[in-house]
Amino acid sequence: MPEDSGRRPFTVGVVGTGYVGLTSAACLAHLGHRVIGADIDATKVAALRRAEVPIAEPGLADLVGAHVADGGLTFTTDLAELATAEVILLCVPTPAHADGTADLAPFDAAVAALADVLRHDAVVVVKSTVPVGTTRRTARALGRSAVSNPEFLREGHAVHDFLHPDRLVVGTVPGPGEGRATATVTALYGGISAPLVRTDAASAELAKYASNAFLALKLSYVNVLAELCEHVGADIGDVAGAMRLDPRIGAAFLSPGPGWGGSCLPKDTRALLRTATEAGVDFAVLADTVTANEHQHDRVVRKIREAVTGSAEGSLDGVRLGLLGLAFKAGTDDVRESPALAVADRLACAGAVLTGYDPGVRRTAELGAVRWADEVGLVAKDAAGLVLLTEWPQFRQLDWRQLAALTDRPVLVDTRDLLDAGSVVRAGFSYHRLGR
């Protein structure tokens, strides 16, 4: 897409100021648009008006602060203030029900509330991750064309990903106004250079689910491969290293770990499976991906049990373990469906006493049975073993010799293969990794 493609400033309304909504609002203000962020949470809106950002995301607080100060970004709890908006972005969360279906109640409520607010020519853009057919249903409800424009933001890199995307996907609902809606959304990103995929709304909606499900599949594949390496005496580092050099495979998402999680992959794989089931499609490979991820949590617990007790069947009852990393990945404070906490839950069920440290996670986070610690030394003190569960680069700089002295038994299970084995062993630890 040309960088100056129809570029002009728009008045943009963003409904929902969560992770996607706030990032979108701040970045669009940075591109020169006048942006109004709307949310039903009055406490959150009050904080955002003071440029207080509740999300740990590099660069986001700076953008919010700059554009709240210059007037390009404002926040409200009143949807009526979006009456002047030329473009409306729906960024309402769509969490999963237990059966995998998306909870669209908040999304539908937002659409219904907008019906009497929108100006007659406003373009409605669905950025929420929604089941196939939702954008078409939204268009019918509002009596206008609507556009599916899914986000592909990585937590910890969201601002960069918005401003430097791999691709922009714009899917429209056929009908009157379709061409203008496509042109408007395309122009919204004027100043950004990225491949543009123009398609129908259903294909755009499915592209988001398909992308995340494929990443989940790749992660489950390498985790099972790491298990195989342990059984046959191979090294997953060398095996994955050889795979990464094949351009057909690519280098990303080929590192073994305690499983995949976060706010997107688990939810989106379940939703895609549900869509396939309802369509009568046997998506067995994706179902196996989910099963493999559950198995990975159990396998990591067995690895920890063996490292700490000397036996895969050894008792962890009353055993004190220190956990390094609680977020689902480095660079974020997000613990939603964190594999670190999934492993912790299983350890707690086995009787282990858990203390955890994470440089990004707040004391107020929901950590289950894990007692939060504000420094690494408290995690190591008198522990029968340490378990590294999140790949924070800061962990490479820890004083491992000092930590070994604090532990009751200097045992370290590195589920992310983050550390230099020689350095950790020289510090006095018995060092255990996946796939080796």
Side-chain angles (χ1 to χ4, degrees), residues 32 36 53 62 96-97 119 123 127 129 131 186 242 265 267 282 287 324 368 390 395 397 399 412 420 434:
I36 307 165
V53 175
D62 292 338
H97 291 299
R119 51 186 275 177
V123 175
K127 289 199 78 69
T129 301
T186 301
L265 264 59
K267 173 176 72 74
D282 182 6
L324 299 175
T390 309
F395 290 158
Q397 311 307 319
D399 187 337
L412 174 61
D420 176 72
L434 303 181

Side-chain angles (χ1 to χ4, degrees), residues 108-292:
D108 289 340
V111 171
L114 284 170
D116 297 326
V117 170
L118 299 180
R119 51 186 275 177
H120 71 92
D121 59 349
V123 175
V124 175
V125 182
V126 178
K127 289 199 78 69
S128 299
T129 301
V130 293
V132 175
T134 303
T135 303
R136 179 182 291 274
R137 186 165 59 81
T138 300
R140 287 199 304 266
L142 296 175
R144 68 187 67 218
S145 183
V147 179
S148 173
N149 175 221
E151 51 83 18
F152 298 95
L153 306 178
R154 299 169 297 163
E155 292 196 39
H157 304 272
V159 170
H160 177 273
D161 288 349
F162 191 101
L163 298 174
H164 306 278
D166 295 320
R167 73 283 204 193
L168 292 169
V169 179
V170 179
T172 51
V173 177
E178 174 188 358
R180 188 181 73 85
T182 301
T184 298
V185 176
T186 301
L188 190 67
Y189 294 98
I192 290 177
S193 180
L196 174 64
V197 180
R198 290 188 178 92
T199 185
D200 59 273
S203 297
E205 290 164 337
L206 189 57
K208 173 58 186 290
Y209 284 120
S211 296
N212 278 350
F214 185 80
L215 296 178
L217 188 153
K218 201 172 180 183
L219 288 168
S220 283
Y221 179 87
V222 77
N223 283 335
V224 175
L225 193 62
E227 182 177 8
L228 178 61
C229 285
E230 293 181 12
H231 284 277
V232 301
D235 187 316
I236 188 60
D238 293 340
V239 173
M243 292 171 64
R244 291 187 184 99
L245 297 176
D246 188 331
R248 298 170 299 174
I249 297 174
F253 287 77
L254 280 180
S255 298
W260 42 266
S263 62
C264 292
L265 264 59
K267 173 176 72 74
D268 292 354
T269 51
R270 290 195 293 267
L272 185 56
L273 274 173
R274 183 72 181 187
T275 298
T277 300
E278 292 174 351
V281 174
D282 182 6
F283 211 152
V285 66
L286 186 56
D288 288 343
T289 294
V290 174
T291 300

Side-chain angles (χ1 to χ4, degrees), residues 371-388:
R371 187 177 66 183
W372 185 86
D374 59 3
E375 60 178 82
V376 178
L378 295 176
V379 170
K381 185 173 175 56
D382 301 326
L386 300 180
V387 186
L388 194 156

